[in-house]
């Protein structure tokens, strides 16, 4: 897109709306987002965490897109074949839940319409609602290779899932068994431990009696879920609890039931919690399940899949679990076996997706034995095959993998990868595991004869199973596993996984386990964990709090670059990120500052310059030390600090230090280039100076273009749109079509040349200018007034520096060139002879560099005397008021001590100000 009007002028302000969409379309059309397959450097691959296919962009997505795009653009510019693999996840639970809600609104359900019809509806939903989030990512500038976009339920990905399951089964790692799982009643499926969130909620602790069957006494027991009493199979006490030793071995009656159960002992029981007697419900409590296995207790399930009570609950069958809780407790109160119910804070397990209370339930499920795979994942990090950033998460990683349990991979859903198991002749314990139905039939006939019937398992695999294959299945595994010319061979293992620390176990650990098991290689060299995006006060963003910042609305108001830069600067690995609209607006202003620097270069510095001269200053390669040495001081300083910045950005991004890299560019552009060098260049280019000294003018133009060009390259990964469009306005070498694919400025095996003496020399001039500006402010010199100054130097080097850049000093410090002189003195503090009889302001800049500013040239004595006298009178009045308070016995006796001290401090401040003003008045009077 063009940003020039018919007169070749650039607008005064950057209009991101006219640039971003058109520029992104151009990048796509040119194919810049695809990896350069001819490049000889090692490949750099980033697997994009696949968002839910029907999801919408939130700030967490915006963060990972920005960070990963920084890496993709950075390594692409460095000449590495860079592949950022995009795609979406079928999101089994989330997507099925949405379609089930739609069916419910229509007065039907998935059960009523059947599996095939339901899946047809889900695919239609996916086609209608899916993919928006990827388009929204493109608005952010995501330079992923969209021609390689993947979806976890596409045929090749489904083949990879089946292959992985079959291999795990062949390796003896897949089994079916009855185990305690987390059951989601709303979704009617098992969910993993990681998909359960615990909330501190107020409930009740119910105390009741377990009466001995022989009528000789009772045990007091407490529970938070009275309905589970109907599934109790024992009461347990600690073997050393003297209170209950006489009860051990006896039978007690289950309340509101005709069953009796034994009193047993186990070290698990905490004698000090509750009554010290624990009801044991192996069918509905994880810890009770383990105790039940140790003592060979029966397991009674009292719940249906929807969490209503089943026939094992006797007269309470058919009631919802919470209704049954109240009814049972009422009956127990009526029967006289309830003791009391009191308020109690408890950790309530809730489904992350549905929000309902999760029930522990013994169920027949498919599991993957995880210990061996977990050990491989642990070893990969221990040996450095994979590096976690920040490394403090290694402890968390190790703790989880060292203690993880077998993975329940079956889900009682219909949307997802149907488990590739076929039951033979409708027998639950006879089955074959195969990649597809044809292979299953072949295996079944081989093992059981030709006359067999098959029924595929109804359950689907955990979504995290398929997404655990993402880094290698997206690159052609297993189909291209043996091919040397495939994406799999070139781009796997990947370079980095960039993701949030909150899914370290959900996803990262699964990928590592499956990657090592399936491919023998860790799927990524680095794992970079970013934090959560929070509001400016550090609070979690939520609709309830009203502090949600919508990324799409933000981009509408401030553009993608401002949002990206706000999210990725000031970032520390693994730390949450505070974000405010003020920060985004400030970075929008930064974009405008950048725009205006480009505008100055194009419309002022380069205006009217012949094409051949423009071509001669186009940037092809980094400047050499010899070329740098030929320039004047200000140019050597500007280019040297730019080289330091570019190398610093490179080193920071190589270490995944996004915040520091972004900060370096900001400081270089704002503080050095815009505030100092552009102003310095005007002394070479304006006021007829370009005609008087064309060589210096051309050198200045070259430096302006060179530093801006390199700065745009360094900033491009962060702010791709404005940097690209500005770079297009600069002189460019032949064949350089786009900044996005331009080379990163670097020297193979070394650093860009830096003139340290030039940096030191120009920094002395900067200090001189700052101190002169301070003096002007202190003496309230009119903004536009140019003042006289004599610079005293005591060595030839400093004499040369000041002489060479006298025009720059005069321009930046607003010194009158006609009243500017440089004097050589033999020692510090020596007054130049010409000023021996003048009242002056003396400034010590550095050893060998001082300035003397005649007071008569800075202020009008009469006006300044009047101003200072007025100011002194005002402060005297304020001081008198404070002194009156401090001297008042009533104030001293009644006011808090801290207020008395504060008032005394204020009085002293006023007296100090008065002394300074009086000193200035005395000096003016003497002059």
């Amino acid at each position: 897109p063009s940003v020039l009007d018919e007169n070749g002028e650039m607008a005064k302000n950057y209009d991101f709306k006219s640039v971003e969409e058109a520029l992104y379309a151009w990048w796509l059309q040119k194919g810049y987002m695809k990896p350069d397959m001819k490049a000889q450097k090692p490949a750099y691959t980033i697997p994009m965490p696949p968002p839910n296919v029907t999801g919408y962009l939130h700030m967490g997505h915006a963060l990972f897109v920005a960070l990963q795009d920084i890496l993709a653009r950075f390594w692409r510019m460095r000449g590495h074949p860079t592949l950022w693999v995009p795609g979406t996840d079928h999101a089994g639970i989330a997507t099925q839940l949405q379609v089930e809600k739609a069916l419910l609104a229509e007065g039907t359900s998935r059960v009523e319409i059947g599996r095939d019809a339901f899946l047809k509806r889900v695919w239609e939903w996916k086609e209608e609602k899916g993919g928006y989030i990827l388009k929204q990512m493109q608005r952010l500038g995501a330079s992923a290779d969209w021609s390689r976009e993947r979806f976890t339920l596409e045929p090749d990905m489904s083949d990879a899932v089946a292959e992985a399951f079959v291999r795990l089964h062949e390796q003896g790692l897949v089994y079916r068994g009855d185990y305690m799982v987390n059951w989601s009643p709303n979704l009617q499926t098992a969910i993993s431990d990681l998909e359960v969130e615990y909330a501190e909620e107020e409930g009740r602790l119910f105390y009741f009696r377990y009466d001995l069957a022989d009528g000789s006494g009772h045990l007091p027991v407490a529970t938070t879920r009275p309905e589970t009493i109907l599934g109790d199979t024992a009461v347990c006490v600690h073997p050393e609890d003297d209170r209950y030793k006489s009860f051990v071995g006896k039978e007690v009656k289950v309340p509101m039931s005709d069953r009796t159960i034994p009193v047993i002992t186990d070290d698990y029981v905490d004698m000090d919690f509750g009554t010290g007697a624990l009801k044991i419900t192996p069918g509905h409590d994880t810890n009770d399940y383990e105790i039940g296995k140790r003592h060979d207790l029966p397991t009674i399930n009292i719940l249906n899949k929807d969490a209503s009570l089943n026939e094992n609950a006797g007269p309470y069958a058919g009631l919802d679990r919470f209704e049954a809780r109240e009814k049972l407790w009422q009956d127990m109160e009526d029967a006289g076996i309830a003791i009391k119910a009191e308020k109690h804070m408890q950790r309530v397990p809730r489904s992350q997706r549905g929000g309902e209370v999760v029930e522990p339930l013994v169920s027949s499920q498919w599991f993957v034995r995880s210990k061996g795979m977990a050990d491989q994942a642990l070893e990969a990090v221990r040996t450095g095959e994979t590096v976690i950033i920040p490394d403090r998460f290694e402890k968390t990683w190790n703790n989880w993998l060292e203690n993880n349990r077998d993975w329940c991979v079956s889900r009682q859903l219909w949307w997802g990868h149907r488990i590739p198991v076929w039951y033979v002749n409708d027998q639950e314990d006879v089955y074959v595991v195969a990649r597809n139905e044809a292979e299953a039939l072949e295996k079944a006939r081989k093992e059981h004869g030709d006359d067999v019937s098959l029924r595929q398992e109804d359950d689907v695999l955990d979504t995290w199973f398929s997404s655990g294959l993402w880094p290698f299945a997206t690159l052609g595994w297993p189909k291209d596993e043996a091919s040397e010319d495939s994406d799999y061979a070139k781009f796997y293992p990947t370079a980095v996984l960039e993701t949030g620390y909150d899914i370290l176990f959900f996803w990262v650990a699964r990928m590592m386990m499956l990657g090592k098991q399936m491919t023998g290689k860790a799927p990524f060299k680095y794992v970079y964990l970013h934090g959560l995006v929070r509001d400016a006060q550090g609070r979690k963003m939520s609709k309830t709090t009203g502090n949600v910042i919508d990324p799409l609305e933000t981009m509408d108001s401030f553009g993608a670059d401002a949002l990206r830069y706000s999210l990725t600067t000031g970032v520390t690995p693994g730390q949450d990120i505070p974000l405010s609209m003020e920060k985004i607006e400030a970075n929008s202003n930064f974009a405008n500052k950048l725009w205006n620097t480009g505008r100055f270069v194009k419309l002022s510095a380069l205006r009217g310059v012949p094409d051949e001269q423009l071509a001669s200053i186009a940037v092809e390669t980094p400047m050499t030390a010899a070329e740098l040495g030929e320039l004047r001081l200000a140019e050597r300083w500007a280019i040297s600090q730019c080289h330091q910045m570019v190398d610093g950005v490179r080193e920071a991004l190589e270490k995944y230090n996004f915040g520091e890299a972004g900060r370096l560019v900001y400081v270089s552009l704002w503080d050095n280039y815009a505030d100092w060098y552009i102003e310095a260049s005007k002394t070479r280019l304006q006021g007829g100076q370009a005609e008087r000294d064309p060589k210096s003018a051309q050198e200045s133009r070259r430096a302006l273009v060179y530093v801006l060009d390199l700065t745009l390259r360094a900033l491009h990964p962060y702010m791709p749109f404005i940097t690209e469009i500005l770079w297009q306005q600069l002189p460019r070498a032949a064949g350089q079509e786009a900044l996005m694919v331009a080379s990163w400025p670097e020297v193979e095996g070394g650093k860009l040349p830096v003139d340290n003496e030039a940096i030191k020399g120009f920094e002395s001039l900067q200090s001189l200018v700052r101190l002169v500006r301070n003096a002007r402010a202190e003496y309230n010199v009119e903004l536009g007034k140019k003042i006289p100054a004599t610079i005293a130097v005591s060595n030839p080097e400093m004499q040369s520096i000041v002489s060479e850049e006298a025009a720059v000093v005069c321009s930046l410090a607003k010194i009158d060139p006609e009243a500017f002189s440089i004097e050589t003195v033999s020692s510090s503090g020596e007054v130049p002879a010409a000023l021996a009889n003048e009242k002056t302001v003396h400034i010590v800049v550095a050893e060998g560099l001082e300035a003397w500013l005649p007071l008569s040239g800075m202020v009008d004595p009469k006006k300044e005397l009047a101003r200072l006298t007025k100011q002194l009178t005002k402060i005297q009045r304020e001081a008198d008021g404070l002194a009156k308070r401090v001297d008042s016995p009533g104030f001293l006796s009644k006011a808090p001590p801290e207020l008395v001290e504060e008032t005394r401090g204020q009085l002293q401040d006023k007296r100090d100000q008065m002394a300074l003003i009086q000193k200035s008045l005395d000096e003016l009077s003497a002059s």
Side-chain angles (χ1 to χ4, degrees), residues 326-394:
E326 299 304 320
K327 179 71 169 65
L328 177 63
W329 185 248
Q330 182 63 55
D331 291 348
M332 290 170 65
E333 286 183 321
D334 293 344
I337 55 178
I339 299 173
K340 64 177 180 177
E342 60 186 23
K343 290 180 179 179
H344 175 69
M345 291 303 295
Q346 56 194 23
R347 293 181 75 234
V348 178
R350 292 191 176 273
S351 165
Q352 188 186 56
R353 288 292 181 192
E356 77 278 13
V357 175
V358 169
E359 289 290 343
L361 197 71
V362 175
S363 175
S364 181
Q365 303 287 341
W366 289 93
F367 293 84
V368 173
R369 291 187 176 90
S370 299
K371 187 179 185 312
M373 293 194 292
D375 288 344
Q376 292 184 73
L378 284 164
E379 187 66 12
V381 172
R382 282 199 189 105
T383 60
E385 183 181 4
T386 294
V387 177
I388 296 176
I389 303 171
D391 59 8
R392 62 186 170 86
F393 280 101
E394 285 184 20

Side-chain angles (χ1 to χ4, degrees), residues 463-725:
T463 301
W464 296 105
F465 186 92
S466 56
S467 57
L469 309 174
W470 187 256
F472 45 99
T474 53
L475 298 173
W477 182 94
K479 183 175 62 176
D480 298 330
E481 200 170 9
S483 172
E484 294 182 0
D485 297 322
S486 63
D487 278 1
Y488 178 77
K490 187 172 184 66
F491 295 106
Y492 185 81
T494 67
V496 63
L497 174 75
E498 191 288 321
T499 189
Y501 64 68
D502 54 327
I503 56 172
L504 184 62
F505 310 127
F506 277 111
W507 190 43
V508 183
R510 305 298 195 204
M511 285 189 288
M512 183 70 84
M513 291 161 66
L514 289 169
K516 290 289 288 185
Q517 190 71 22
M518 294 295 118
T519 73
K521 302 173 183 176
F524 16 74
K525 174 60 181 173
Y526 294 97
V527 175
Y528 177 92
L529 299 172
H530 66 245
L532 305 179
V533 181
R534 298 186 179 274
D535 71 6
Q537 285 74 47
R539 298 173 301 177
K540 185 176 181 179
M541 291 187 184
S542 70
K543 292 180 180 177
T544 305
T545 310
N547 60 347
V548 173
I549 300 177
D550 181 87
L552 297 173
E553 292 178 1
T554 302
M555 287 189 285
D556 287 341
S557 299
F558 298 105
D561 287 329
L563 176 59
R564 288 168 59 114
Y565 197 70
S566 299
L567 285 168
T568 55
T569 51
V571 171
T572 302
Q575 295 291 331
D576 290 347
I577 300 150
L579 184 67
S580 66
M581 294 308 296
E582 289 77 15
K583 182 179 182 182
I584 298 168
E585 186 173 3
N587 285 319
S588 175
N589 293 336
F590 173 58
N592 247 330
K593 180 91 167 182
L594 174 60
W595 176 260
N596 284 322
T597 63
R599 193 167 179 272
F600 167 78
V601 172
K602 182 173 181 65
L603 301 185
S604 181
L606 303 182
R607 186 184 290 277
V609 176
D611 290 345
E612 62 274 12
Q613 286 189 29
L614 292 177
S616 70
I617 58 176
V619 180
E620 293 190 64
T621 58
M623 194 174 287
T624 65
E627 291 175 298
L628 182 61
E630 295 173 356
L631 303 175
R632 292 178 62 178
L633 176 66
E635 283 68 34
R636 296 200 311 277
W637 167 80
I639 292 168
S640 293
Q641 68 79 26
C642 177
H643 281 177
Q644 287 180 325
M645 176 272 290
V646 170
D647 281 334
V649 170
R650 173 183 54 77
E651 291 169 356
L653 288 181
E654 286 176 342
K655 296 174 182 176
Y656 298 94
N657 193 343
F658 298 94
E660 175 62 9
R663 185 193 68 82
L664 288 172
V665 186
Y666 183 97
V667 169
S668 178
L669 175 70
W670 192 289
D671 294 349
N672 295 332
Y673 186 69
D675 284 0
W676 288 95
Y677 185 66
I678 282 183
E679 295 306 312
S681 72
K682 292 175 182 177
T683 66
R684 275 73 151 141
L685 301 171
Q686 296 179 355
Q689 189 61 28
E691 291 74 23
R692 290 190 290 273
D693 188 354
K695 180 177 181 295
S696 292
Q698 185 66 356
E699 286 180 356
S700 182
R701 294 188 192 101
R702 183 186 181 191
L704 282 167
V705 169
Y706 182 85
V707 174
L708 182 55
D709 183 292
L710 266 63
T711 301
L712 293 174
R713 294 181 198 230
L715 186 58
H716 179 73
Y718 288 82
M719 304 178 84
F721 293 107
I722 189 171
T723 52
E724 178 74 78
I725 204 67

Side-chain angles (χ1 to χ4, degrees), residues 268-518:
Y268 171 79
V269 178
D270 182 353
M271 290 187 285
D272 298 323
F273 179 76
T275 67
L278 187 68
K279 60 185 285 298
I280 305 300
T281 320
H284 297 289
D285 183 274
T286 304
N287 297 315
D288 291 4
Y289 179 70
E290 296 300 325
I291 293 173
K293 286 199 295 184
R294 287 199 293 273
H295 294 271
D296 199 25
L297 297 174
T299 298
I300 300 174
N301 174 27
I302 64 164
L303 292 176
N304 295 312
K305 290 183 177 180
D306 63 356
S308 63
L309 274 62
N310 63 23
E311 66 279 1
N312 291 328
Y316 304 96
L319 292 177
D320 172 77
R321 54 183 164 164
F322 301 120
E323 292 175 354
R325 177 178 300 176
E326 299 304 320
K327 179 71 169 65
L328 177 63
W329 185 248
Q330 182 63 55
D331 291 348
M332 290 170 65
E333 286 183 321
D334 293 344
I337 55 178
I339 299 173
K340 64 177 180 177
E342 60 186 23
K343 290 180 179 179
H344 175 69
M345 291 303 295
Q346 56 194 23
R347 293 181 75 234
V348 178
R350 292 191 176 273
S351 165
Q352 188 186 56
R353 288 292 181 192
E356 77 278 13
V357 175
V358 169
E359 289 290 343
L361 197 71
V362 175
S363 175
S364 181
Q365 303 287 341
W366 289 93
F367 293 84
V368 173
R369 291 187 176 90
S370 299
K371 187 179 185 312
M373 293 194 292
D375 288 344
Q376 292 184 73
L378 284 164
E379 187 66 12
V381 172
R382 282 199 189 105
T383 60
E385 183 181 4
T386 294
V387 177
I388 296 176
I389 303 171
D391 59 8
R392 62 186 170 86
F393 280 101
E394 285 184 20
K395 183 178 180 180
T396 315
W397 172 267
N398 293 342
N399 184 59
W400 188 79
L401 286 169
E402 287 166 357
N403 296 285
N404 84 317
R405 301 187 296 173
D406 285 355
W407 180 9
C408 175
V409 294
S410 48
R411 297 290 182 268
Q412 289 64 54
L413 303 170
W414 287 352
W415 174 246
H417 296 97
R418 200 166 176 179
I419 294 176
V421 168
W422 282 262
Y423 297 100
V424 179
N425 297 330
D426 222 23
Q427 301 175 82
E428 288 294 316
D429 57 344
V430 180
Y431 56 83
V432 292
V433 177
R435 292 164 180 82
N436 50 58
E437 189 169 9
E439 184 180 276
L441 187 59
E442 182 183 341
K443 284 186 175 183
R445 285 173 173 169
K446 186 176 181 180
E447 295 177 21
H448 304 284
D450 290 342
D451 189 19
V452 294
S453 63
L454 298 179
R455 174 179 59 83
Q456 189 174 358
E457 168 65 67
D458 285 329
D459 291 354
V460 301
L461 286 163
D462 177 10
T463 301
W464 296 105
F465 186 92
S466 56
S467 57
L469 309 174
W470 187 256
F472 45 99
T474 53
L475 298 173
W477 182 94
K479 183 175 62 176
D480 298 330
E481 200 170 9
S483 172
E484 294 182 0
D485 297 322
S486 63
D487 278 1
Y488 178 77
K490 187 172 184 66
F491 295 106
Y492 185 81
T494 67
V496 63
L497 174 75
E498 191 288 321
T499 189
Y501 64 68
D502 54 327
I503 56 172
L504 184 62
F505 310 127
F506 277 111
W507 190 43
V508 183
R510 305 298 195 204
M511 285 189 288
M512 183 70 84
M513 291 161 66
L514 289 169
K516 290 289 288 185
Q517 190 71 22
M518 294 295 118

Side-chain angles (χ1 to χ4, degrees), residues 185 338 379 518 606 785 801 808 819 839 922:
E379 187 66 12
M518 294 295 118
L606 303 182
K785 181 180 177 67
I801 289 169
V808 172
K839 194 67 178 175
D922 293 343

Side-chain angles (χ1 to χ4, degrees), residues 899-926:
L899 180 58
V900 173
E901 285 305 309
E902 181 184 343
T903 306
R904 284 176 173 156
Q906 291 173 348
L907 176 59
Q908 188 58 50
D909 288 343
K910 296 297 181 186
R911 287 171 173 167
D912 291 343
Q913 291 176 36
M914 289 163 59
L916 287 172
I917 294 171
Q918 188 60 56
K919 181 183 176 185
S920 297
L921 284 168
D922 293 343
E923 290 174 349
L924 278 169
S925 298

Side-chain angles (χ1 to χ4, degrees), residues 785-804:
K785 181 180 177 67
K786 292 190 174 183
I787 63 173
T790 297
I791 309 302
V793 296
S794 58
N795 62 68
E797 293 79 12
M798 194 57 69
Q799 166 86 30
S800 174
I801 289 169
V802 178
S803 298
E804 182 180 353

Side-chain angles (χ1 to χ4, degrees), residues 651-874:
E651 291 169 356
L653 288 181
E654 286 176 342
K655 296 174 182 176
Y656 298 94
N657 193 343
F658 298 94
E660 175 62 9
R663 185 193 68 82
L664 288 172
V665 186
Y666 183 97
V667 169
S668 178
L669 175 70
W670 192 289
D671 294 349
N672 295 332
Y673 186 69
D675 284 0
W676 288 95
Y677 185 66
I678 282 183
E679 295 306 312
S681 72
K682 292 175 182 177
T683 66
R684 275 73 151 141
L685 301 171
Q686 296 179 355
Q689 189 61 28
E691 291 74 23
R692 290 190 290 273
D693 188 354
K695 180 177 181 295
S696 292
Q698 185 66 356
E699 286 180 356
S700 182
R701 294 188 192 101
R702 183 186 181 191
L704 282 167
V705 169
Y706 182 85
V707 174
L708 182 55
D709 183 292
L710 266 63
T711 301
L712 293 174
R713 294 181 198 230
L715 186 58
H716 179 73
Y718 288 82
M719 304 178 84
F721 293 107
I722 189 171
T723 52
E724 178 74 78
I725 204 67
L726 281 178
W727 190 81
Q728 298 288 338
Q729 312 311 311
L730 297 179
R732 302 194 305 280
Q736 291 191 349
E737 190 175 44
L739 175 58
M740 182 176 173
V741 289
S743 61
W744 184 268
E746 60 185 320
V747 176
E748 193 71 33
K751 291 189 174 185
L752 298 171
V754 170
D755 187 334
N756 288 308
E757 289 302 313
I759 290 176
K760 183 180 177 182
F762 195 80
E763 285 177 350
S764 295
L765 298 185
Q766 287 178 299
S767 297
L768 170 62
V769 169
R770 290 190 187 100
L771 290 170
V772 172
R773 288 173 175 174
N774 291 345
R776 292 174 62 99
E778 183 181 343
Y779 283 90
N780 200 34
V781 179
E782 296 171 14
L783 289 178
K785 181 180 177 67
K786 292 190 174 183
I787 63 173
T790 297
I791 309 302
V793 296
S794 58
N795 62 68
E797 293 79 12
M798 194 57 69
Q799 166 86 30
S800 174
I801 289 169
V802 178
S803 298
E804 182 180 353
E805 297 298 357
V808 172
V809 172
C810 289
S811 174
L812 296 176
K814 288 193 171 64
I815 295 172
D816 183 357
E818 300 298 322
F820 177 80
S821 62
I822 303 171
E823 298 282 344
T824 302
V825 295
S826 57
S827 61
S828 178
E830 181 183 339
V831 181
L835 300 176
N837 298 319
E838 284 225 38
K839 194 67 178 175
T840 58
V841 176
H842 179 211
I843 298 172
V844 179
V845 181
E847 187 174 351
L849 179 60
E850 300 172 37
W852 299 82
L853 310 179
L855 204 55
S856 59
M858 297 174 67
V859 296
D860 181 323
K862 289 183 180 179
K863 288 183 179 179
E864 188 64 7
L865 276 169
R867 186 186 71 82
L868 290 174
T869 301
K870 183 179 179 182
Q871 188 178 2
L872 182 62
T873 302
K874 178 177 178 292

